[in-house]
Amino acid sequence: MLPFLTQTKIYALALLIHLSSSPVASGQACGCSSTILPVHVDVLLPKDPTDPFGGLKSNASSLRRLNETYDIFGVFCQPKTAQSTGQLKFCSGGVVLNFFVDVVQLLVHGFTYTYQYWSPATEEFRNQSYTDFACDRGLSSFAIDLVGVGLSSRPANASDVQYATHSTVASQLARHLKTTSILPGVQPFKKVIGIGHSAGSATLIFGAITEADQSPFDGLILTGNLIIEPGTLLTIPGVTSARDDTPLRWGALDPDYTTTNNRSIFYPTDPTSFSPRMPIFDAFTKDVGTVATFPQLSVSSLTANYTGPVAKVVGSEDQGFCTGTDRCDDVAALTATERVLWPEAKSFQVIVAPGSGHCMNLDFLANGPFSTFVDLVNQFVAL
Ligand SMILES: *[C@@H]1O[C@H](CO)[C@@H](O)[C@H](O)[C@H]1NC(C)=O
Ligand SMILES: *[C@@H]1O[C@H](CO)[C@@H](O)[C@H](O)[C@H]1NC(C)=O
Ligand SMILES: *[C@@H]1O[C@H](CO)[C@@H](O)[C@H](O)[C@H]1NC(C)=O
Ligand SMILES: *[C@@H]1O[C@H](CO)[C@@H](O)[C@H](O)[C@H]1NC(C)=O
Ligand SMILES: *[C@@H]1O[C@H](CO)[C@@H](O)[C@H](O)[C@H]1NC(C)=O
Ligand SMILES: *[C@@H]1O[C@H](CO)[C@@H](O)[C@H](O)[C@H]1NC(C)=O
């Protein structure tokens, strides 16, 4: 039935059983439900979690096996009009797709964020919800909490949480979305587009490298991520052990779970470009990453033989990548540099969103990048 799958992966699919669902509040256009899916991860990790390439360049003696099953929390949102038929059909290799029911976006957050990055759970920021924006345009989404984060399983040992772990989870879920009904009444999808932010983009890149033409993703939109050579890491101020930062919440955690007490780098330097209440809300809802999160970002400097369409979207005011350098000024030059790492991609483009910061979903200009994401999904499913 699925000849390319290994025994391990078949086992994983068998384990992906729908556990529970409950309604989640959202805007008028969306019907949302939360769910928890068990995902089996059987991967090789570098014994040293600060290995810049996440084990991709390691020999056998410096790797160890991780064989665990984690519960992954996610919120699935579907346009309320999803069941209406005959709208927005696209041709794809001779196949007619119904945009509403055949396409889903898998949304992967970045460091210290959760699924809420894609839909801040407060009325004031309802117009900064990408999941709502997408629903309004007929697009479903599944926004997850990565392993160790939010309402997903948190391994006792933070060194189990590396990009190999995250990327296996993302790919297993993409396969699940294509083969199984994620919730009652929701058919399996024909196309899954992965959209990552920052460390979530590195998660998708890791899978694009390891799975190449076997990737379950029909397109990748990598936001808040450019090539990161080893030794040129982002400097995020205030990164500290989560247990020291917020003992009430995280006092019992392995010290290698980290967070940040200074969110300024995630926003443009111009304070009028975002609500002063957004960083406050952001600080209330922040979560954790692990010591592996930063050094292993250098997977973003490796070649991926992924064969689907790829786009990178970065804010011109991204303090981690663009401001203080001329890197993002010449988009053609930036595109040429980045394209080298995607030799087999069906298409490749870089979009610099003017005025947006690193967390482009969280500032006043968010609707610009949101339109870009939806346009890219439209392009990708039509390919
Ligand atoms: C394996 O990699 C480790 C770490 O890079 C290195 O110290 C060791 O010499 C390598 N072993 C072999 C057999 O190449
Ligand atoms: C991996 O984990 C699964 C599920 O817990 C278990 O059945 C299997 O025996 C494990 N494999 C090895 C080699 O430990
Ligand atoms: C976490 O696991 C690694 C690899 O098995 C081990 O070296 C390390 O001592 C563990 N750390 C803790 C806090 O248990
Ligand atoms: C946060 O980091 C920025 C950039 O490093 C720094 O200018 C600012 O003073 C820091 N804010 C706090 C409250 O420490
Ligand atoms: C990508 O393909 C090239 C050419 O076949 C090959 O040399 C390279 O090792 C591949 N890269 C990966 C990461 O598999
Ligand atoms: C959201 O609404 C507020 C208040 O009307 C407005 O200032 C802001 O620009 C809007 N944000 C987006 C992303 O549209």
Side-chain angles (χ1 to χ4, degrees):
M1 182 181 68
L2 296 161
F4 62 91
L5 292 178
T6 62
Q7 270 317 113
T8 308
K9 286 173 180 167
I10 290 168
Y11 176 73
L13 283 177
L15 265 179
L16 281 164
I17 304 159
H18 168 237
L19 278 187
S20 67
S21 77
S22 55
V24 172
S26 182
Q28 293 191 334
C30 268
C32 297
S33 299
S34 65
T35 185
I36 292 175
L37 298 167
V39 179
H40 183 222
V41 173
D42 188 354
V43 288
L44 294 172
L45 297 179
K47 289 173 185 165
D48 173 8
T50 67
D51 169 27
F53 301 113
L56 290 173
K57 292 188 162 192
S58 301
N59 60 44
S61 61
S62 52
L63 295 169
R64 67 183 174 91
R65 183 176 180 179
L66 176 76
N67 182 28
E68 292 286 345
T69 298
Y70 298 116
D71 284 338
I72 301 300
F73 175 85
V75 173
F76 175 77
C77 291
Q78 193 174 42
K80 286 219 172 113
T81 44
Q83 299 314 320
S84 64
T85 52
Q87 297 173 55
L88 287 171
K89 294 193 183 218
F90 292 84
C91 284
S92 169
V95 180
V96 177
L97 288 177
N98 183 334
F99 201 56
F100 278 13
V101 295
D102 290 340
V103 179
V104 67
Q105 309 165 100
L106 182 65
L107 306 178
V108 188
H109 64 80
F111 172 66
T112 70
Y113 287 90
T114 66
Y115 81 93
Q116 289 196 53
Y117 174 71
W118 306 100
S119 190
T122 177
E123 194 56 44
E124 180 179 357
F125 302 129
R126 176 63 31 84
N127 66 348
Q128 289 185 247
S129 163
Y130 179 61
T131 50
D132 280 10
F133 185 95
C135 270
D136 275 337
R137 287 148 188 85
L139 265 179
S140 300
S141 60
F142 187 49
I144 61 167
D145 281 349
L146 289 169
V147 173
V149 173
L151 297 171
S152 291
S153 300
R154 178 169 288 142
N157 189 326
S159 77
D160 290 349
V161 184
Q162 304 194 21
Y163 284 108
T165 320
H166 290 327
S167 98
T168 304
V169 165
S171 290
Q172 300 282 26
L173 289 173
R175 290 193 178 88
H176 183 68
L177 287 162
K178 286 179 141 175
T179 53
T180 314
S181 165
I182 187 165
L183 288 164
V186 178
Q187 297 301 306
F189 293 89
K190 294 197 173 83
K191 301 254 183 184
V192 181
I193 307 296
I195 309 186
H197 173 246
S198 199
S201 296
T203 294
L204 296 173
I205 290 170
F206 194 99
I209 296 166
T210 57
E211 298 182 295
D213 61 348
Q214 299 299 302
S215 168
F217 290 102
D218 298 283
L220 297 176
I221 300 172
L222 307 168
T223 79
N225 169 282
L226 295 175
I227 293 172
I228 303 172
E229 301 288 354
T232 63
L233 293 175
L234 307 180
T235 325
I236 298 195
V239 172
T240 176
S241 266
R243 71 178 187 184
D244 299 334
D245 180 81
T246 315
L248 188 64
R249 217 177 144 192
W250 293 314
L253 294 192
D254 179 341
D256 284 352
Y257 278 107
T258 59
T259 191
T260 168
N261 59 29
N262 182 334
R263 322 287 294 172
S264 63
I265 195 176
F266 299 140
Y267 295 85
T269 49
D270 174 3
T272 66
S273 63
F274 53 92
S275 163
R277 287 176 300 283
M278 184 59 98
I280 298 170
F281 176 72
D282 186 344
F284 272 129
T285 54
K286 75 180 181 184
D287 214 278
V288 301
T290 64
V291 289
T293 305
F294 293 108
Q296 294 190 3
L297 281 174
S298 294
V299 298
S300 308
S301 68
L302 300 178
T303 302
N305 287 338
Y306 175 70
T307 52
V310 179
K312 287 195 166 191
V313 185
V314 67
S316 69
E317 301 307 308
D318 186 323
Q319 295 190 62
F321 290 104
C322 296
T323 59
T325 75
D326 58 4
R327 191 178 188 184
C328 304
D329 297 352
D330 181 344
V331 182
L334 178 61
T335 305
T337 305
E338 296 277 336
R339 187 198 296 276
V340 172
L341 298 184
W342 302 88
E344 308 293 334
K346 188 175 274 177
S347 64
F348 182 83
Q349 56 196 303
V350 175
I351 292 155
V352 177
S356 294
H358 183 65
C359 290
M360 59 192 82
N361 293 18
L362 305 185
D363 48 55
F364 287 143
L365 295 170
N367 280 208
F370 290 173
S371 294
T372 301
F373 306 163
V374 169
D375 287 349
L376 288 166
V377 173
N378 273 290
Q379 271 180 45
F380 290 178
V381 302
L383 283 173

